[in-house]
Amino acid sequence: MEIFGIIIAVLLLLVLAATVAAVLRDGLGHNPPVNSHQAWSALDLPSTSYTLRIF
């Protein structure tokens, strides 16, 4: 029974180490800014809501 406890403890340590390594490699959650090259438009969206078009 003790062997299962040791296995679980080792797995938890491995998961913790992998999580810390992934966070550090990702830049602590830093995402580059999104650059928009086109002006925003609604494209082909209707000017009235769908429920109003049904009635």
Side-chain angles (χ1 to χ4, degrees), residues 14-44:
L14 288 174
V15 167
L16 180 65
T19 302
V20 169
V23 167
L24 290 176
R25 186 172 46 246
D26 189 37
L28 298 174
H30 172 71
N31 291 326
V34 177
N35 294 329
S36 179
H37 300 290
Q38 295 179 349
W40 185 87
S41 66
L43 299 176
D44 59 346

